[in-house]
Amino acid sequence: MATSAAWLQKQRKSSLIELADSTGLRKSDYEGLLKADLEILLDQHLRRNESSLARDGRFDPYYQRVTSTTSPVKKEKAAMASDGEKPRARRVTKAKDEIEATDDSDANTFTAVAARTPRAVASYAPLPPSPAAVADAIDQSTADLRSRVGDVWQNSGITERAEEIRDNLSTVVGIETLILGVEAFGLQREVLPLQHAFTIPANSTLRTPEFPVKLADLFLLFTSSFWSPTLLWLSTSFLLPLFSAYLFNLTLKAKNSHSTRSRSAQPLYRFDPLTFNVVKGLITWLVYSQGFRFWGLVDEMDVVRIEFSVPGGYQGILIGAAIGALTSIYEAILRK
């Protein structure tokens, strides 16, 4: 069982998901499981359905390892037990007197040899190991260390976490969230600037210089200097595009290959990502390039502060919208 489980442990999580799909497991049974839990679930499922899944060539390495773990001696005992025979223990045919006589003769021989040649006993002293033995010991220690490091790395879960982050970023929503996060970080440096709070004095013992500590001035949260540009950016880059993406959701009429076109069919997205990016780019161009101020509701200084703080200015916002639109189109092509 440990050998077959080791074969599952060597597989990547994506390969284990493909194997789970091939075995007939439902996606709800393994969705959200860690790699170790998925290995246990697959191992139990493969053993319960060995009669039907053993014929599939993709699971030959698994079932061959399961079969190879059975000892030949155990197979022989199991066969004898099925025939109703009891295994017979091997009998020792050597007589007790013969053993005692042999021990006495060996002791006498060793005593006689030691008496004739006292220096010969010194030749039995342990000698230093040969260079080949030292090299083998070093290789063995290196292999053990490599195995322990591999076990620590596997148990740390870093690989699983990296795969989860990659899965989350490999979606349109993940890319849009990353773009908005970059814009928000640039705006935060403008509306909540870091100010000197205190200084860590120098330490002569540790030979460290004094270190000034800067913190955000949270009192700005109660002023219009923070909320005016923040609400303008939030409206032009998120709220208005999101509202438009909800109203003009082209995915409602998208053709799903796994379901028929009907009113009850669930849309791919509640908010159309392509519409979101198109409206975001259009509003950004009108406000920051063409001087549209929402009929006097927007202050000119707020526009200047946002354009100065966001990476790349308003052109950077347009580039982010273009990237989101291209990602939406590419994902739609892959779904066909």
Side-chain angles (χ1 to χ4, degrees):
M1 181 175 181
T3 308
S4 58
W7 179 79
L8 292 175
Q9 292 175 0
K10 294 179 181 179
Q11 307 300 318
R12 298 176 62 85
K13 186 177 181 181
S14 57
S15 301
L16 293 177
I17 293 176
E18 293 178 0
L19 290 175
D21 292 335
S22 303
T23 57
L25 284 172
R26 294 177 299 179
K27 189 175 181 180
S28 59
D29 295 338
Y30 60 83
E31 187 175 15
L33 293 180
L34 295 178
K35 183 174 180 292
D37 298 332
L38 184 55
E39 293 170 5
I40 297 174
L41 178 63
L42 264 177
D43 185 56
Q44 295 175 352
H45 184 70
L46 290 173
R47 291 180 179 276
R48 288 196 301 264
N49 300 275
E50 180 178 359
S51 59
S52 58
L53 296 177
R55 304 173 184 175
D56 195 336
R58 289 172 293 184
F59 306 109
D60 286 345
Y62 174 86
Y63 288 113
Q64 288 175 2
R65 291 171 179 261
V66 173
T67 307
S68 62
T69 54
T70 305
S71 173
V73 178
K74 293 181 179 180
K75 290 182 179 180
E76 181 180 355
K77 291 182 178 180
M80 295 176 63
S82 62
D83 295 338
E85 298 181 4
K86 295 183 178 180
R88 294 175 296 178
R90 297 182 179 178
R91 299 177 60 186
V92 181
T93 57
K94 202 167 187 179
K96 180 178 178 181
D97 297 338
E98 183 179 353
I99 295 174
E100 293 178 355
T102 304
D103 293 339
D104 294 340
S105 61
D106 292 341
N108 295 332
T109 303
F110 180 79
T111 304
V113 172
R116 290 196 304 268
T117 56
R119 295 181 180 179
V121 181
S123 63
Y124 292 96
L127 298 176
S130 63
V134 174
D136 293 340
I138 294 175
D139 293 341
Q140 184 63 32
S141 301
T142 304
D144 294 340
L145 179 61
R146 189 184 300 111
S147 177
R148 292 176 182 176
V149 172
D151 293 339
V152 171
W153 175 265
Q154 186 175 2
N155 295 330
S156 64
I158 296 178
T159 304
E160 287 77 7
R161 298 295 181 272
E163 291 182 355
E164 290 178 2
I165 294 174
R166 184 189 65 178
D167 293 339
N168 293 329
L169 292 179
S170 300
T171 59
V172 176
V173 178
I175 295 175
E176 292 291 348
T177 304
L178 181 61
I179 294 174
L180 290 174
V182 172
E183 296 177 8
F185 176 76
L187 181 63
Q188 180 269 333
R189 294 185 303 172
E190 172 65 23
V191 297
L192 281 178
L194 298 178
Q195 296 183 357
H196 180 268
F198 57 92
T199 301
I200 299 177
N203 192 322
S204 59
T205 304
L206 301 177
R207 297 181 180 180
T208 57
E210 62 179 14
F211 182 76
V213 178
K214 296 182 178 181
L215 299 175
D217 187 5
L218 298 181
F219 289 101
L220 294 175
L221 295 174
F222 303 99
T223 63
S224 60
S225 175
F226 170 82
W227 288 109
S228 184
T230 300
L231 290 177
L232 177 59
W233 171 82
L234 194 64
S235 300
T236 57
S237 295
F238 184 71
L239 295 180
L240 290 177
L242 191 67
F243 179 71
S244 302
Y246 180 79
L247 288 181
F248 305 99
N249 192 350
L250 302 180
T251 61
L252 288 173
K253 301 298 182 180
K255 195 172 187 180
N256 195 338
S257 59
H258 299 286
S259 62
T260 59
R261 186 190 299 234
S262 63
R263 289 182 175 268
S264 61
Q266 292 293 332
L268 298 178
Y269 292 103
R270 295 185 60 186
F271 305 92
D272 190 349
L274 181 59
T275 305
F276 178 88
N277 289 283
V278 170
V279 174
K280 178 182 177 182
L282 180 60
I283 295 177
T284 300
W285 177 73
L286 289 175
V287 173
Y288 300 99
S289 178
Q290 301 301 313
F292 179 67
R293 296 296 179 261
F294 290 96
W295 303 281
L297 297 177
V298 176
D299 189 5
E300 186 70 27
M301 185 56 65
D302 296 335
V303 176
V304 174
R305 293 181 66 186
I306 293 175
E307 187 175 359
F308 176 76
S309 61
V310 174
Y314 84 92
Q315 294 91 344
I317 300 178
L318 291 177
I319 292 174
I323 293 174
L326 290 176
T327 305
S328 304
I329 296 173
Y330 182 65
E331 186 189 41
I333 294 174
L334 293 178
R335 287 180 179 272
K336 294 296 183 180

